[in-house]
Amino acid sequence: PTESDLGHLCNCLSHQCENWAHAKEGCEYYKGMTTKKPKLSLMAVSPVDLNNDGFVDLVTTYNFGYTRFFHNVPRMAARRNRYITFRLVGGPKAGNEYGIGATVILYGERRYLQDGNGGTDHHHRQPHHQFREKSSHQHATDGLGSVDERITFGLGVDIYPLNVTVRWSNGHKTVIGLGSNWDFDPESYPILVGA
């Protein structure tokens, strides 16, 4: 911790934080009452796409005073890649409120130009499918962090989504058509999918 962090801890102590051992240790070090510097321990990590750019960022919290935001800055080549994001909204037909146990299948196609005979180009389309499973709600493996509720599919530069199918935990199925003329529009994400 920096000197200013420890100074903030001392201010906290003046507001009835004496029962928080980490704050008390930090303040005692700051005031020169001890030479033992307080130990900074990572408490939780939360992966989340903070700026909705399709790349997972991290939020970390510590035993006192620290919350750090790590912005994932991709290379220029990676920024050309597209993605689509969904958020499951469960309910009675989904089996549970959060859609836990659901399988999300994105049906799409890879579109590219292929050299034909005689020097003419032909558009080629190849099926491309991806799936994700929702296995938890809001809790990371450390017990204190949280998990981003959004389900993101990377599309690269040549994959076009056609529809998404959600198979809910109780057997119901929801299908949403995305159309053959889908446009990449991160401002509209996440797309809500309900049972």
Side-chain angles (χ1 to χ4, degrees):
T2 65
E3 291 296 316
S4 67
D5 294 327
L6 296 174
H8 290 299
L9 287 176
C10 288
N11 289 336
C12 179
L13 286 178
S14 68
H15 293 89
Q16 304 301 319
C17 293
E18 295 89 4
N19 60 347
W20 196 22
H22 293 294
K24 187 174 181 184
E25 291 169 9
C27 191
E28 288 173 353
Y29 176 81
Y30 180 74
K31 291 180 178 178
M33 298 166 65
T34 181
T35 57
K36 182 181 174 190
K37 196 169 187 175
K39 184 179 176 190
L40 184 65
S41 301
L42 179 66
M43 298 300 288
V45 176
S46 299
V48 60
D49 184 359
L50 293 170
N51 57 345
N52 202 31
D53 67 353
F55 295 94
V56 176
D57 307 301
L58 288 177
V59 178
T60 60
T61 57
Y62 295 85
N63 57 340
F64 67 84
Y66 276 111
T67 299
R68 294 283 189 235
F69 299 88
F70 295 95
H71 179 201
N72 185 355
V73 181
R75 298 181 331 237
M76 287 305 291
R79 291 181 193 176
R80 289 193 298 267
N81 293 328
R82 300 168 310 152
Y83 62 95
I84 190 166
T85 302
F86 301 94
R87 182 168 175 266
L88 301 183
V89 180
K93 290 184 180 179
N96 61 74
E97 182 179 352
Y98 305 108
I100 297 169
T103 300
V104 183
I105 306 167
L106 181 72
Y107 293 94
E109 60 187 14
R110 176 170 272 127
R111 298 177 186 171
Y112 55 93
L113 290 175
Q114 185 175 25
D115 290 335
N117 294 336
T120 59
D121 292 335
H122 298 283
H123 287 280
H124 185 71
R125 295 174 185 226
Q126 177 183 1
H128 183 86
H129 311 314
Q130 300 178 52
F131 78 94
R132 304 280 186 275
E133 293 178 338
K134 182 153 183 194
S135 60
S136 66
H137 172 69
Q138 280 294 328
H139 292 289
T141 56
D142 59 23
L144 298 173
S146 62
V147 176
D148 197 345
E149 289 293 311
R150 295 173 287 188
I151 297 172
T152 300
F153 293 93
L155 302 175
V157 294
D158 59 356
I159 297 170
Y160 291 81
L162 300 175
N163 69 60
V164 64
T165 299
V166 179
R167 294 184 182 148
W168 303 95
S169 62
N170 63 359
H172 280 85
K173 184 165 84 170
T174 302
V175 178
I176 296 178
L178 301 168
S180 59
N181 295 322
W182 172 82
D183 271 335
F184 177 56
D185 182 19
E187 296 296 321
S188 67
Y189 298 162
I191 299 168
L192 299 180
V193 181

